[in-house]
Amino acid sequence: MAEELKKAQLNASVAPENFDWDAFESEAGVYGDTDKQKIAEAYDKTLQKVVENDVVEGTVTSINKREVVVNIGYKSEGVIPAPEFRYNPDLKVGDKVEVYVESAEDKKGQLVLSHKKARQLRSWDRVNAAYESGEIVKGYVKTRTKGGMIVDVFGIEAFLPGSQIDIKPIRDYDAYVDQTMDFKIVKINQEFRNVVVSHKALLEAELEKQKSEIISKLEKGQVLEGTVKNITNYGVFVDLGGVDGLVHITDLSWGRINNPEEVVSLDQKINVVVLDFNEQQKKIALGLKQLTPHPWDTLVNDIKVGDKVKGKVVLVQDYGAFVEIKPGVEGLIHVSEMSWSPRLRSAQDFLKAGDEIEAQVLSIDKENRKMSLGMKQLVPNPWENIREKYPIGSKHTATVRNLTVFGVFAEIEDGVEGLIHISDLSWDKIKHPSEVVNVGDKIDVIILDFDEAAHKLSLGHKQLLPNPWDELEAKYPVGSVVEGTVASLTDKGANITIEGGQDAFCFSRELVKEDGKTAIVGETLPFKVIELRRSTRRVLLSHTRTYAEVKEAKAASEAEATKKNVKKINSNIEKTTLGDISELAALKDKLEKGE
C-alpha cells in the first residue's frame, strides 16, 4: 500500500509524457481534492499558453485523407481539414506548420485550429517577401478563368496567365486544375492586392541553361532526333530536348508544298539536320529534305529534250505555270508555249493549280536545275499550211477576241488570229470598233493578206458587204438637183438631210438664197449635188447654184446671140456705102445696149 501511494505521489512531479495514468486511475482515491488541484496546477504549468486569434507554430502528428492533426503544445491537439493543405502534397508527420487558434476549447473541449486562416494572415507579407527575393513558391491551381488560371499562393488567389503556364502552347487547360506547381511571383499590384504568377518563367530559366549547353555542342551537318512541337504556315518548330529549332517550309520537302502538315504531324518524332545556328540569339535552323538526295541528282538520263512528260500544275503566274514532273523536279511552261496564238495572254487563261497535264520537254539545264516545257508543241501548228488552208480572198467566220482603237482581233481557229483594221470593218466612218462588234461576237471575214513569219493575218469585214456609196453615186449623181432640209448650222455651213435620210453638207457661201438671205434650220430648199467625196464619205450640196447657174446660162445665151449679130453686121459693113456707115454704127450701138 505504501509503495502504491509512493508511485502515485511520484506521478505528480513527472513530465506529462511520462505520467502513469494506470496508477492514477486505480488509486484515484488516494488523492484528495487539494492534491488533485495541486497536481492539475502542476500539469497546467507544463502546457503552452494558448491565446485565441493568434498564429502559432505546430507539429503535424497525424495525417489521413480527411484530417491533419497538429500539436501546438496544448493539453489537446487540433484537427484541421486535409483540403487546407492541398497546396502542399508533400506534407508529412513531423512537419512544422503555422496555425491560427480559433478557440482554445469548443463545446466538446476540443482545441480549434485553422491552417488556412494562418496562411491568409501572413500571406501578403510572405508574397511580397517572395516577390522581392525571387523565391520559388508553391501554389495550388484552383480553377480556370478567362485568359488563364486561378492559383492559391499562401492563401491568396493569384492569376496565372495562359501564356505563363508553359513554354509550349497549351492545348488542355483543364489538365492543370487541382495540380500543385512551383511558381515565381512576377507582378504585384499593392493598391488592389493583385498577384500575378508564372510557371513558364521557371521553365525558361532552366531552358536557357539547357539551350546554352545544347547549342555549344552543335555542329553544322549534325543529324539530331526531335519532336514536332508546333506547326505554323511558314515552318515547323522541333524540340531537340530542351531547345527548339525551326525547319522552314522550304526545307521540309524537295517538292513544293502549301502546308507543313502535308509532310509532318504534331508530336511526330523526326530526324533533322542542323543547317545553321546562332549561339547569341539561340536560334537553330534545321532541315528535313537535306536528309534525302535532291531529285535532280537522281533524275534519270532518259528524260531528254523532245520527250513527252506528265505533271501537276503547282503554281500559276501571269508569265507561265510551274509543273511538277516528280517531287522536287519542276518545269516552267511559258505563256508563249501554251498556244500557237500570237496574242500573248495570262497563263491563268489556260491553266490553274492542281491541273494534271501533258507537255513536251523543250530544254533541260541539270546544272542549274531548270527545265522548260511546252504545251502547244503537242498539237499541230496551224501556221504551217496557212496559205493552203486560208488563201487570200477566202471567206470565213471568226470570233472577236479583243477590241482596240485601231481595230478588231478575230480568231478563225485556235492559234490563228488576224486583225480587222478599223478602216476595213465598216463602209461608214466609225470612231471605235465597239460601234460594230463586241468581244465574243461571231463575224464574217475575208483574208486580205499574210505575214507568215510573224504569224499575222490581215482580215476584212466590210468587203463582204455592198458599198453604199456605189448606190449613192448612182442615186445622186453630180449635177443632179435634190430636195433637202437644213438640219443644223455650223461655223462653216449647214448639215442637210436629203431624200432617203442621207446626210449631206452645204458650205455657207452655197446656202445664200436668191433674195440674198441665208437659209435657216428647218427650211426645205432645192440643192444641187456638186461633189461626192468617196474618201471622206461626204455629199456636198449647193442651193445657190440652183438659181445662179440659170441666170448665168441665160446671160451666156444672150451674149452668144449678140456676138453672132455683131459678127453678121461686121461682115456686111464691107458691102455698104459710106453713107450707111453712120446708120449702121447707130444700130450696132443699140444692139450692144440691148435695146
Side-chain angles (χ1 to χ4, degrees):
M1 183 67 174
E3 182 63 30
E4 291 176 353
L5 179 61
K6 182 178 179 182
K7 186 175 182 181
Q9 291 173 341
L10 288 174
N11 262 338
S13 59
V14 299
E17 59 268 20
N18 296 323
F19 191 82
D20 190 343
W21 289 97
D22 293 334
F24 177 74
E25 290 175 356
S26 61
E27 298 298 333
V30 176
Y31 300 97
D33 291 338
T34 302
D35 293 330
K36 289 181 179 179
Q37 184 177 358
K38 288 182 180 179
I39 292 172
E41 290 175 356
Y43 176 67
D44 288 340
K45 290 180 181 179
T46 66
L47 300 175
Q48 178 177 321
K49 291 184 178 180
V50 174
V51 179
E52 293 185 356
N53 302 323
D54 196 7
V55 175
V56 297
E57 187 177 66
T59 303
V60 176
T61 60
S62 176
I63 300 176
N64 60 43
K65 291 183 178 180
R66 297 180 59 188
E67 299 172 337
V68 174
V69 180
V70 178
N71 181 11
I72 62 171
Y74 194 53
K75 61 184 177 181
S76 64
E77 294 178 320
V79 179
I80 302 173
E84 292 192 21
F85 293 92
R86 60 187 176 185
Y87 72 92
N88 186 5
D90 299 325
L91 184 71
K92 60 184 181 299
V93 174
D95 283 353
K96 299 291 185 181
V97 294
E98 289 186 335
V99 293
Y100 174 79
V101 181
E102 293 192 49
S103 174
E105 290 184 4
D106 60 6
K107 293 179 180 180
K108 297 180 181 180
Q110 179 70 44
L111 174 66
V112 181
L113 303 177
S114 172
H115 178 61
K116 181 178 179 180
K117 289 184 179 180
R119 293 179 71 224
Q120 288 177 340
L121 288 174
R122 298 284 181 88
S123 60
W124 191 248
D125 292 336
R126 294 188 65 184
V127 164
N128 280 277
Y131 176 64
E132 294 295 333
S133 64
E135 176 189 351
I136 297 174
V137 299
K138 284 191 177 295
Y140 171 76
V141 181
K142 296 176 65 176
T143 183
R144 284 189 62 176
T145 188
K146 184 178 180 181
M149 317 288 285
I150 298 297
V151 179
D152 183 328
V153 177
F154 299 141
I156 291 179
E157 289 190 345
F159 178 59
L160 171 63
S163 61
Q164 295 299 312
I165 297 175
D166 206 334
I167 54 177
K168 59 185 178 182
I170 302 302
R171 299 173 203 160
D172 183 11
Y173 282 80
D174 291 332
Y176 291 87
V177 177
D178 292 330
Q179 298 292 319
T180 299
M181 302 166 61
D182 289 335
F183 296 98
K184 182 177 181 181
I185 300 172
V186 294
K187 187 177 180 180
I188 291 179
N189 186 312
Q190 299 290 346
E191 182 179 357
F192 297 101
R193 293 208 167 192
N194 291 336
V195 179
V196 179
V197 296
S198 171
H199 180 65
K200 179 181 177 181
L202 303 179
L203 299 177
E204 285 179 335
E206 181 63 26
L207 187 62
E208 286 300 313
K209 182 179 178 181
Q210 292 179 10
K211 280 184 179 181
S212 299
E213 292 178 359
I214 293 174
I215 292 178
S216 65
K217 299 176 183 178
L218 288 180
E219 295 179 3
K220 290 184 181 181
Q222 185 178 6
V223 178
L224 303 171
E225 184 183 58
T227 304
V228 177
K229 178 180 178 181
N230 190 24
I231 299 176
T232 70
N233 58 357
Y234 57 85
V236 174
F237 287 94
V238 178
D239 184 354
L240 300 175
V243 62
D244 292 346
L246 173 65
V247 183
H248 194 270
I249 189 170
T250 57
D251 291 312
L252 280 172
S253 170
W254 290 115
R256 194 187 298 266
I257 60 174
N258 297 316
N259 192 312
E261 291 182 343
E262 297 175 25
V263 181
V264 298
S265 58
L266 212 57
D267 296 326
Q268 179 183 350
K269 290 190 178 297
I270 58 174
N271 288 330
V272 290
V273 61
V274 178
L275 302 180
D276 200 1
F277 59 90
N278 187 310
E279 286 194 53
Q280 286 72 32
Q281 298 180 0
K282 294 183 174 58
K283 291 183 178 181
I284 306 172
L286 304 173
L288 180 64
K289 70 180 185 182
Q290 289 79 3
L291 295 176
T292 58
H294 196 290
W296 271 93
D297 298 333
T298 59
L299 192 65
V300 290
N301 294 323
D302 57 357
I303 295 181
K304 57 186 182 298
V305 173
D307 285 352
K308 293 180 182 179
V309 294
K310 292 182 179 180
K312 180 180 179 181
V313 178
V314 292
L315 180 65
V316 181
Q317 301 288 353
D318 289 340
Y319 57 84
F322 290 91
V323 179
E324 188 177 60
I325 308 303
K326 57 184 294 188
V329 179
E330 295 179 4
L332 171 65
I333 305 179
H334 192 270
V335 67
S336 63
E337 302 298 340
M338 293 181 178
S339 169
W340 289 110
S341 175
R343 181 169 58 89
L344 293 182
R345 288 174 277 175
S346 171
Q348 284 92 342
D349 295 336
F350 299 95
L351 297 171
K352 63 181 183 298
D355 286 350
E356 298 283 348
I357 66 164
E358 187 176 30
Q360 187 177 44
V361 178
L362 302 182
S363 68
I364 299 177
D365 184 353
K366 290 187 179 181
E367 184 177 348
N368 294 308
R369 294 172 178 169
K370 292 182 179 180
M371 181 187 300
S372 61
L373 306 173
M375 290 169 54
K376 69 182 184 182
Q377 289 77 9
L378 300 182
V379 296
N381 184 353
W383 287 87
E384 289 181 355
N385 58 346
I386 194 72
R387 285 189 178 272
E388 291 76 15
K389 195 172 183 180
Y390 301 106
I392 292 177
S394 60
K395 301 174 184 178
H396 308 276
T397 299
T399 303
V400 176
R401 293 302 184 192
N402 191 27
L403 302 180
T404 69
V405 293
F406 55 82
V408 175
F409 286 97
E411 187 178 60
I412 300 178
E413 67 169 88
D414 187 25
V416 178
E417 191 177 274
L419 172 66
I420 308 173
H421 194 272
I422 191 170
S423 63
D424 291 315
L425 189 59
S426 173
W427 289 111
D428 296 324
K429 188 176 182 180
I430 59 176
K431 294 182 179 180
H432 194 274
S434 59
E435 298 176 31
V436 179
V437 293
N438 295 309
V439 173
D441 287 352
K442 299 290 185 179
I443 185 171
D444 292 330
V445 296
I446 185 172
I447 307 298
L448 300 179
D449 201 1
F450 286 96
D451 185 349
E452 291 171 278
H455 288 189
K456 291 182 179 179
L457 278 178
S458 177
L459 306 175
H461 173 65
K462 73 178 185 180
Q463 290 82 357
L464 299 175
L465 304 173
N467 188 342
W469 282 90
D470 293 340
E471 182 182 349
L472 193 68
E473 287 177 345
K475 188 176 182 179
Y476 305 111
V478 175
S480 63
V481 177
V482 297
E483 192 175 74
T485 302
V486 180
S488 62
L489 297 175
T490 69
D491 55 344
K492 292 184 178 181
N495 294 309
I496 311 298
T497 302
I498 59 178
E499 301 167 2
Q502 176 64 42
D503 292 331
F505 188 79
C506 180
F507 286 103
S508 298
R509 64 178 179 276
E510 304 291 342
L511 202 60
V512 179
K513 296 186 291 184
E514 192 172 359
D515 59 4
K517 296 180 180 179
T518 302
I520 61 175
V521 174
E523 193 170 356
T524 302
L525 299 168
F527 289 90
K528 188 172 186 177
V529 179
I530 60 174
E531 187 177 353
L532 289 173
R533 295 184 180 177
R534 181 180 284 265
S535 60
T536 58
R537 302 292 189 269
R538 295 186 75 182
V539 179
L540 298 181
L541 305 175
S542 173
H543 170 66
T544 303
R545 296 190 189 188
T546 60
Y547 64 84
E549 289 182 353
V550 173
K551 287 185 176 182
E552 290 175 359
K554 183 179 179 181
S557 178
E558 291 177 349
E560 184 65 25
T562 301
K563 184 178 180 181
K564 289 180 179 180
N565 289 332
V566 171
K567 186 177 181 180
K568 183 178 180 181
I569 292 172
N570 287 338
S571 63
N572 291 329
I573 288 177
E574 296 176 357
K575 300 178 181 179
T576 59
T577 62
L578 187 60
D580 296 327
I581 294 176
S582 59
E583 185 178 349
L584 291 171
L587 178 60
K588 180 181 179 182
D589 183 56
K590 186 176 181 180
L591 289 171
E592 289 177 351
K593 292 181 179 180
E595 294 179 2

Coordinates of all heavy atoms in Angstrom, one line a residue, residues 348-397:
Q348 N -3.2 32.2 -116.6 CA -4.4 31.8 -115.9 C -5.5 31.5 -116.9 O -6.5 30.9 -116.5 CB -4.9 32.9 -114.9 CG -4.1 32.9 -113.6 CD -2.9 33.9 -113.7 OE1 -2.5 34.2 -114.8 NE2 -2.3 34.2 -112.5
D349 N -5.4 32.0 -118.1 CA -6.4 31.7 -119.1 C -6.3 30.3 -119.6 O -7.3 29.8 -120.2 CB -6.2 32.7 -120.3 CG -6.5 34.1 -120.0 OD1 -7.2 34.4 -119.0 OD2 -6.0 35.0 -120.7
F350 N -5.2 29.6 -119.4 CA -5.0 28.3 -119.9 C -5.0 27.2 -118.8 O -5.5 26.1 -118.9 CB -3.7 28.2 -120.6 CG -3.6 29.1 -121.8 CD1 -3.0 30.3 -121.7 CD2 -4.1 28.7 -123.1 CE1 -3.0 31.2 -122.8 CE2 -4.1 29.5 -124.2 CZ -3.5 30.8 -124.1
L351 N -4.4 27.5 -117.6 CA -4.2 26.5 -116.6 C -4.5 27.1 -115.2 O -4.6 28.3 -115.0 CB -2.7 26.1 -116.6 CG -2.2 25.4 -117.8 CD1 -0.7 25.2 -117.7 CD2 -2.9 24.0 -118.0
K352 N -4.7 26.2 -114.3 CA -4.9 26.5 -112.9 C -4.2 25.5 -112.0 O -3.9 24.4 -112.4 CB -6.4 26.6 -112.5 CG -7.1 25.3 -112.6 CD -8.6 25.5 -112.2 CE -9.4 24.2 -112.3 NZ -9.4 23.6 -113.6
A353 N -3.8 25.9 -110.8 CA -3.1 25.0 -109.9 C -3.9 23.7 -109.6 O -5.1 23.8 -109.4 CB -2.8 25.7 -108.6
G354 N -3.2 22.6 -109.7 CA -3.9 21.3 -109.5 C -4.2 20.5 -110.8 O -4.5 19.3 -110.7
D355 N -4.1 21.2 -111.9 CA -4.4 20.6 -113.2 C -3.3 19.5 -113.5 O -2.1 19.7 -113.3 CB -4.4 21.6 -114.3 CG -5.6 22.4 -114.4 OD1 -6.6 22.1 -113.6 OD2 -5.7 23.4 -115.1
E356 N -3.7 18.4 -114.0 CA -2.8 17.3 -114.4 C -2.7 17.5 -116.0 O -3.7 17.4 -116.7 CB -3.4 15.9 -114.1 CG -3.6 15.7 -112.6 CD -2.2 15.4 -111.9 OE1 -1.2 15.1 -112.6 OE2 -2.2 15.3 -110.7
I357 N -1.5 17.7 -116.5 CA -1.3 18.0 -117.9 C -0.2 17.2 -118.5 O 0.6 16.5 -117.8 CB -1.0 19.5 -118.1 CG1 0.3 19.9 -117.5 CG2 -2.1 20.4 -117.5 CD1 0.9 21.2 -118.0
E358 N -0.1 17.2 -119.8 CA 1.0 16.6 -120.5 C 1.7 17.7 -121.3 O 1.0 18.6 -121.8 CB 0.4 15.5 -121.5 CG 1.5 14.7 -122.2 CD 1.0 13.6 -123.1 OE1 -0.1 13.8 -123.6 OE2 1.7 12.6 -123.2
A359 N 3.0 17.6 -121.4 CA 3.8 18.7 -122.0 C 5.0 18.0 -122.7 O 5.3 16.9 -122.4 CB 4.2 19.7 -121.0
Q360 N 5.7 18.8 -123.5 CA 6.9 18.4 -124.2 C 8.1 19.1 -123.6 O 8.0 20.3 -123.3 CB 6.8 18.7 -125.7 CG 8.0 18.1 -126.5 CD 7.8 18.3 -128.0 OE1 7.4 19.4 -128.4 NE2 8.0 17.3 -128.7
V361 N 9.2 18.4 -123.4 CA 10.4 19.0 -122.8 C 11.1 19.8 -123.9 O 11.4 19.2 -125.0 CB 11.4 17.9 -122.3 CG1 12.6 18.5 -121.7 CG2 10.7 17.1 -121.2
L362 N 11.3 21.1 -123.7 CA 11.9 21.9 -124.6 C 13.4 22.1 -124.3 O 14.2 22.2 -125.3 CB 11.2 23.3 -124.7 CG 9.7 23.3 -125.0 CD1 9.2 24.7 -125.0 CD2 9.4 22.6 -126.3
S363 N 13.8 22.2 -123.1 CA 15.2 22.3 -122.7 C 15.4 21.8 -121.3 O 14.5 21.8 -120.4 CB 15.6 23.8 -122.8 OG 15.0 24.6 -121.8
I364 N 16.6 21.3 -121.0 CA 16.9 20.8 -119.6 C 18.3 21.4 -119.3 O 19.3 21.3 -120.0 CB 17.0 19.3 -119.6 CG1 15.7 18.6 -120.0 CG2 17.5 18.8 -118.2 CD1 15.7 17.1 -120.0
D365 N 18.3 22.0 -118.1 CA 19.6 22.5 -117.5 C 19.8 21.9 -116.2 O 19.4 22.4 -115.1 CB 19.5 24.0 -117.4 CG 20.8 24.7 -116.9 OD1 21.7 23.9 -116.6 OD2 20.9 25.9 -116.9
K366 N 20.4 20.7 -116.1 CA 20.6 19.9 -114.9 C 21.5 20.7 -113.9 O 21.3 20.6 -112.7 CB 21.1 18.5 -115.2 CG 20.1 17.6 -115.9 CD 20.7 16.2 -116.0 CE 19.6 15.3 -116.6 NZ 20.1 13.9 -116.8
E367 N 22.5 21.4 -114.4 CA 23.4 22.1 -113.6 C 22.7 23.2 -112.7 O 22.9 23.3 -111.5 CB 24.5 22.8 -114.4 CG 25.6 23.5 -113.5 CD 26.7 24.0 -114.4 OE1 26.8 23.7 -115.6 OE2 27.5 24.8 -113.8
N368 N 21.8 23.9 -113.4 CA 21.0 24.9 -112.7 C 19.6 24.4 -112.3 O 18.8 25.2 -111.7 CB 20.9 26.2 -113.5 CG 22.2 26.9 -113.8 OD1 22.9 27.2 -112.8 ND2 22.5 27.1 -115.0
R369 N 19.4 23.1 -112.5 CA 18.1 22.5 -112.1 C 16.9 23.3 -112.7 O 16.0 23.6 -112.0 CB 18.0 22.4 -110.6 CG 19.1 21.4 -110.1 CD 19.2 21.4 -108.6 NE 20.1 20.5 -108.1 CZ 20.6 20.4 -106.8 NH1 20.1 21.2 -105.9 NH2 21.5 19.5 -106.5
K370 N 17.0 23.5 -114.0 CA 15.9 24.2 -114.7 C 15.4 23.3 -115.9 O 16.2 22.7 -116.6 CB 16.3 25.6 -115.1 CG 16.5 26.5 -114.0 CD 16.9 27.9 -114.5 CE 17.1 28.9 -113.4 NZ 17.5 30.2 -113.9
M371 N 14.1 23.4 -116.2 CA 13.5 22.7 -117.3 C 12.4 23.6 -117.9 O 11.6 24.1 -117.2 CB 13.0 21.4 -116.8 CG 12.4 20.5 -118.0 SD 11.6 19.0 -117.3 CE 12.9 18.2 -116.5
S372 N 12.4 23.7 -119.2 CA 11.3 24.4 -119.9 C 10.5 23.4 -120.6 O 11.0 22.5 -121.3 CB 11.9 25.5 -120.8 OG 12.7 24.9 -121.8
L373 N 9.2 23.7 -120.6 CA 8.2 22.7 -121.2 C 7.3 23.5 -122.1 O 7.2 24.7 -122.1 CB 7.3 22.1 -120.1 CG 8.1 21.4 -119.0 CD1 7.1 20.9 -117.9 CD2 8.9 20.2 -119.5
G374 N 6.6 22.8 -123.0 CA 5.7 23.4 -123.9 C 4.4 22.6 -124.1 O 4.5 21.3 -124.0
M375 N 3.3 23.2 -124.2 CA 2.0 22.5 -124.5 C 1.6 22.6 -125.9 O 1.1 21.6 -126.5 CB 0.9 23.2 -123.6 CG 1.0 23.0 -122.1 SD -0.1 24.0 -121.2 CE -1.7 23.6 -122.0
K376 N 1.9 23.7 -126.6 CA 1.4 23.9 -128.0 C 2.1 22.9 -128.9 O 1.6 22.6 -130.0 CB 1.6 25.3 -128.4 CG 3.1 25.8 -128.6 CD 3.1 27.2 -129.0 CE 4.6 27.6 -129.3 NZ 4.7 29.1 -129.7
Q377 N 3.3 22.4 -128.5 CA 4.0 21.5 -129.4 C 3.3 20.2 -129.6 O 3.7 19.4 -130.5 CB 5.4 21.3 -128.8 CG 6.4 22.5 -129.0 CD 6.1 23.6 -127.9 OE1 5.3 23.4 -127.0 NE2 6.7 24.7 -128.1
L378 N 2.4 19.9 -128.7 CA 1.6 18.6 -128.8 C 0.5 18.7 -129.7 O -0.2 17.7 -129.9 CB 1.2 18.2 -127.4 CG 2.3 18.0 -126.3 CD1 1.7 17.5 -125.0 CD2 3.3 17.0 -126.8
V379 N 0.2 19.8 -130.3 CA -0.9 20.0 -131.3 C -0.3 20.6 -132.5 O 0.7 21.3 -132.5 CB -2.0 20.9 -130.8 CG1 -2.7 20.3 -129.6 CG2 -1.5 22.3 -130.4
P380 N -0.9 20.3 -133.7 CA -0.3 20.8 -135.0 C -0.2 22.3 -135.0 O -1.1 23.0 -134.5 CB -1.2 20.2 -136.0 CG -1.9 19.1 -135.4 CD -2.0 19.4 -133.9
N381 N 0.8 22.8 -135.6 CA 1.0 24.3 -135.8 C 0.1 24.7 -137.0 O 0.4 24.4 -138.1 CB 2.4 24.6 -136.1 CG 2.7 26.1 -136.2 OD1 1.7 26.9 -136.2 ND2 3.9 26.5 -136.3
P382 N -1.0 25.5 -136.7 CA -1.9 25.8 -137.8 C -1.2 26.8 -138.8 O -1.8 27.0 -139.9 CB -3.0 26.5 -137.0 CG -2.4 27.0 -135.8 CD -1.3 26.0 -135.4
W383 N -0.1 27.3 -138.5 CA 0.6 28.3 -139.5 C 1.4 27.6 -140.5 O 2.0 28.2 -141.4 CB 1.4 29.3 -138.7 CG 0.5 30.3 -138.0 CD1 0.0 30.1 -136.7 CD2 0.0 31.5 -138.5 NE1 -0.8 31.2 -136.4 CE2 -0.8 32.1 -137.5 CE3 0.2 32.2 -139.7 CZ2 -1.4 33.3 -137.6 CZ3 -0.4 33.4 -139.8 CH2 -1.2 34.0 -138.8
E384 N 1.6 26.2 -140.3 CA 2.5 25.5 -141.3 C 1.9 25.5 -142.7 O 2.6 25.6 -143.7 CB 2.8 24.1 -140.8 CG 3.7 24.1 -139.5 CD 3.9 22.7 -139.0 OE1 3.3 21.8 -139.6 OE2 4.7 22.5 -138.1
N385 N 0.6 25.4 -142.8 CA 0.0 25.3 -144.1 C -1.1 26.4 -144.3 O -2.2 26.2 -144.8 CB -0.6 24.0 -144.4 CG -1.6 23.6 -143.4 OD1 -1.7 24.2 -142.3 ND2 -2.4 22.6 -143.6
I386 N -0.8 27.6 -143.7 CA -1.8 28.6 -143.6 C -2.3 29.1 -144.9 O -3.5 29.4 -145.1 CB -1.2 29.8 -142.7 CG1 -2.3 30.8 -142.3 CG2 -0.1 30.5 -143.5 CD1 -3.3 30.2 -141.3
R387 N -1.4 29.2 -145.9 CA -1.8 29.8 -147.3 C -2.8 28.8 -148.0 O -3.7 29.2 -148.7 CB -0.6 30.1 -148.1 CG 0.1 31.3 -147.7 CD 1.2 31.8 -148.6 NE 1.8 33.0 -148.2 CZ 1.4 34.2 -148.5 NH1 0.3 34.3 -149.3 NH2 2.0 35.3 -148.1
E388 N -2.5 27.5 -147.8 CA -3.4 26.5 -148.4 C -4.7 26.4 -147.7 O -5.8 26.2 -148.4 CB -2.7 25.1 -148.4 CG -1.5 25.0 -149.3 CD -0.2 25.7 -148.7 OE1 -0.3 26.0 -147.5 OE2 0.7 25.9 -149.4
K389 N -4.7 26.6 -146.4 CA -5.9 26.5 -145.6 C -6.8 27.7 -145.7 O -8.0 27.7 -145.8 CB -5.6 26.2 -144.2 CG -6.8 25.7 -143.4 CD -6.3 25.2 -142.0 CE -7.5 24.6 -141.2 NZ -7.1 24.1 -139.9
Y390 N -6.1 28.9 -145.7 CA -6.8 30.2 -145.8 C -6.3 31.0 -146.9 O -5.5 32.0 -146.6 CB -6.7 30.9 -144.4 CG -7.2 30.1 -143.2 CD1 -6.4 29.5 -142.3 CD2 -8.6 29.9 -143.1 CE1 -6.9 28.7 -141.3 CE2 -9.1 29.2 -142.0 CZ -8.2 28.6 -141.1 OH -8.7 27.9 -140.1
P391 N -6.5 30.8 -148.1 CA -6.0 31.6 -149.2 C -6.6 33.0 -149.2 O -7.7 33.2 -148.7 CB -6.4 30.8 -150.5 CG -7.6 30.0 -150.0 CD -7.3 29.6 -148.6
I392 N -5.8 33.9 -149.8 CA -6.3 35.3 -149.9 C -7.6 35.3 -150.7 O -7.7 34.7 -151.8 CB -5.2 36.2 -150.6 CG1 -4.0 36.3 -149.7 CG2 -5.8 37.5 -150.9 CD1 -2.8 37.1 -150.2
G393 N -8.5 36.1 -150.2 CA -9.8 36.2 -150.8 C -10.8 35.2 -150.3 O -12.0 35.3 -150.6
S394 N -10.4 34.2 -149.5 CA -11.4 33.2 -149.0 C -12.1 33.8 -147.8 O -11.7 34.7 -147.1 CB -10.6 32.0 -148.5 OG -9.7 32.3 -147.5
K395 N -13.4 33.3 -147.7 CA -14.3 33.9 -146.7 C -14.4 32.9 -145.5 O -14.5 31.7 -145.7 CB -15.6 34.2 -147.3 CG -15.6 35.1 -148.4 CD -17.0 35.3 -149.1 CE -16.9 36.2 -150.3 NZ -18.3 36.3 -151.0
H396 N -14.5 33.4 -144.3 CA -14.5 32.6 -143.1 C -15.3 33.3 -142.0 O -15.6 34.5 -142.1 CB -13.1 32.3 -142.5 CG -12.2 31.7 -143.6 ND1 -12.2 30.4 -143.9 CD2 -11.3 32.3 -144.4 CE1 -11.3 30.2 -144.9 NE2 -10.7 31.4 -145.2
T397 N -15.7 32.5 -141.0 CA -16.3 33.0 -139.8 C -15.4 33.0 -138.6 O -14.7 32.0 -138.3 CB -17.6 32.2 -139.4 OG1 -18.5 32.3 -140.5 CG2 -18.3 32.8 -138.2

